Amino acid sequence: MSQLILFNKPYGVICQFSRHELHPTLKDHIALPGVYPAGRLDTDSEGLLLLTGEGALQHRISDPRWKLPKTYWVQVEGRVSEAQLEALRAGVDLGDFVTRPAQVRQIEQPALWERKPPVRFRKTVPDCWLEIIISEGKNRQVRRMTAKVGLPTLRLVRAAIGPWQLDGLQPGELRSIEVNLEDLPALSHAERPGQSTAPARKGSVSGSKAGPQPSFRFARRNKP
C-alpha cells in the first residue's frame, strides 16, 4: 500500500517546498517528510493537490498518458450561453494547442470557504459557476479556455482528481490515505510511450472522433 496525501491548497500558495520571497509554499503547511506533489496547481488556484513519496504512485497520477480526469469549479464573469458551453465541450483552439473535448455544465454556486483575499467583482457585470472536467493539464488551461470563449475566470477550485475528492477538507488541511496501485482503474486510453495523439476535432463530446475519451463522473456539487 502507498501513502497518498490529499491537501486543500489555499489561494496564493506555491506548489513547491523551497522558500519563496513573496508567497507561502507547501513547506508552510505540510510537515510530512519525503512527500512531493503529484502534479501542480497554479498559485492563484485553490483546491485538491495530491502528494506522495511513492515514485510509482506519483508517476501514475502525474503522467499525462493516464489522463486522470480533473474536476474544476470555476466562477466566471458574465452569463454563460449554450454556444459557449458547446465551444468548451468541443475543444478550444488556444493557438499553441487544441484542448481535448471536456465535460462542462453550469452549476449553482458550490458551498465553499471564503477566499482570502476575496474575489474582486464588478457590480455591473454578472457572474456564474461552471463545472469543467478535463483529461489533460496544460499550463493555466482552464483559465485560457474560459477566456477564449468570452468568460474570464474569477475563481478556480479543483474539486477532484480521478477518484479522489476534497470531501470537506478546508484550506490548509490534509488527509492521508492508503492506496493500492492494483486497485486503481485501468485506463484503456492511456497511451504507450512514443505514441502520438491527434489534435482534438471540433464537435460535441458524444460525436467526437478524436479517439477514446475517459469516462467522467461529475463531483458532488456542494461538497468541497
Side-chain angles (χ1 to χ4, degrees):
M1 301 290 283
S2 300
Q3 183 187 40
L4 182 66
I5 306 299
L6 283 65
F7 175 61
N8 186 345
K9 188 192 83 66
Y11 176 89
V13 173
I14 295 181
C15 286
Q16 63 186 43
F17 280 96
S18 56
R19 294 294 184 183
H20 190 273
E21 295 180 357
L22 301 177
H23 296 280
T25 68
L26 298 178
K27 189 176 182 66
D28 298 297
H29 295 274
I30 301 174
L32 298 173
V35 297
Y36 304 93
R40 301 186 65 82
L41 189 59
D42 292 336
T43 305
D44 52 356
S45 298
E46 311 158 70
L48 184 61
L49 180 70
L50 302 178
L51 303 98
T52 181
E54 302 290 336
L57 181 58
Q58 185 183 42
H59 174 77
R60 179 67 175 270
I61 295 170
S62 60
D63 191 325
R65 292 176 299 172
W66 290 99
K67 297 182 175 62
L68 282 177
K70 301 176 181 67
T71 302
Y72 296 89
W73 292 334
V74 190
Q75 185 180 23
V76 297
E77 189 176 75
R79 288 192 176 94
V80 64
S81 68
E82 187 60 31
Q84 289 169 315
L85 293 177
E86 285 300 324
L88 291 169
R89 292 167 182 153
V92 182
D93 187 349
L94 298 179
D96 51 340
F97 74 101
V98 178
T99 65
R100 295 174 63 89
Q103 288 208 15
V104 185
R105 65 171 180 169
Q106 184 174 358
I107 60 173
E108 297 178 2
Q109 180 175 342
L112 293 172
W113 54 89
E114 181 180 353
R115 204 191 78 172
K116 299 178 181 179
V119 175
R120 293 183 179 181
F121 297 99
R122 291 193 291 172
K123 294 181 179 180
T124 58
V125 180
D127 64 272
C128 63
W129 284 84
L130 305 177
E131 184 174 65
I132 300 178
I133 302 180
I134 60 175
S135 60
E136 54 195 342
K138 303 292 179 62
N139 185 41
R140 303 184 72 81
Q141 178 174 332
V142 173
R143 294 178 186 275
R144 294 177 64 191
M145 289 170 63
T146 63
K148 183 72 173 182
V149 301
L151 298 167
T153 290
L154 299 172
R155 186 179 184 186
L156 192 150
V157 178
R158 186 158 66 195
I161 300 174
W164 302 291
Q165 301 184 20
L166 284 172
D167 283 334
L169 283 177
Q170 295 301 301
E173 293 182 350
L174 58 83
R175 180 187 303 118
S176 176
I177 62 174
E178 290 188 339
V179 174
N180 190 338
L181 276 173
E182 296 180 356
D183 293 336
L184 295 181
L187 303 180
S188 59
H189 58 277
E191 299 169 5
R192 296 186 179 93
Q195 180 178 349
S196 61
T197 302
R201 299 182 184 179
K202 300 293 184 180
S204 65
V205 173
S206 60
S208 172
K209 304 296 185 181
Q213 300 296 320
S215 176
F216 294 144
R217 181 175 64 183
F218 286 110
R220 285 169 286 185
R221 180 181 303 176
N222 292 323
K223 195 170 184 181

